């Protein structure tokens, strides 16, 4: 293998690592927020763990939606959009989910 083929494409690698760092930060923050939710909404331990369960089930639901869209389009969505647009779309979806926390918190109701 020539050295030309094995060089890292830093223009693609750095944004990818940065995005995964922030997504990891969000995932780690979830476990920190569970005791806060438990106290704020007066939840039992099992009820508070639904927050964590919902967070990780969202990855499964998202993957199934992605798969369904790819099957309906008869091509891979990331290949169609490109890696930059796919990263941007993922960040937009994450930001929308984060912004939806504000109205949910203001309702003061766990469900």
């Amino acid at each position: 293998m020539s050295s030309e083929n094995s060089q890292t494409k830093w223009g693609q690698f750095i944004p990818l690592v940065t995005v995964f760092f922030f997504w990891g930060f969000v995932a780690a923050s979830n476990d920190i927020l569970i005791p806060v939710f438990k106290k704020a909404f007066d939840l039992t331990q099992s009820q508070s763990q639904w927050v964590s369960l919902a967070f990780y089930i969202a990855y499964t639901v998202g993957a199934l939606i992605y798969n369904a869209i790819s099957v309906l389009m008869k091509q891979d969505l990331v290949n169609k959009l490109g890696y930059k647009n796919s990263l941007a779309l993922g960040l937009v979806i994450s930001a929308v989910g984060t912004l939806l926390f504000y109205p949910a918190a203001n309702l003061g109701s766990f469900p």
Side-chain angles (χ1 to χ4, degrees), residues 6-97:
S6 65
Q7 289 188 359
T8 302
K9 296 180 181 178
W10 291 104
Q12 296 172 358
F13 182 72
I14 291 172
L16 184 66
V17 169
T18 304
V19 166
F20 274 97
F21 170 78
F22 284 113
W23 278 328
F25 180 77
V26 168
S29 298
N30 190 45
D31 290 333
I32 295 169
L33 288 173
I34 288 175
V36 175
F37 291 144
K38 186 177 177 181
K39 184 177 179 184
F41 296 113
D42 194 31
L43 303 175
T44 65
Q45 183 64 29
S46 61
Q47 288 174 325
S48 67
Q49 289 306 310
W50 282 103
V51 174
S52 182
L53 181 66
F55 180 82
Y56 290 107
I57 287 208
Y59 282 107
T60 304
V61 171
L64 292 173
I65 291 170
Y66 171 81
N67 189 30
I69 291 171
S70 293
V71 167
L72 290 174
M73 292 176 49
K74 296 186 170 116
Q75 63 181 354
D76 186 36
L77 189 59
V78 173
N79 286 335
K80 181 174 176 65
L81 294 175
Y83 83 94
K84 288 180 186 178
N85 292 333
S86 297
L87 283 175
L89 178 61
L91 288 172
V92 166
I93 292 170
S94 184
V96 167

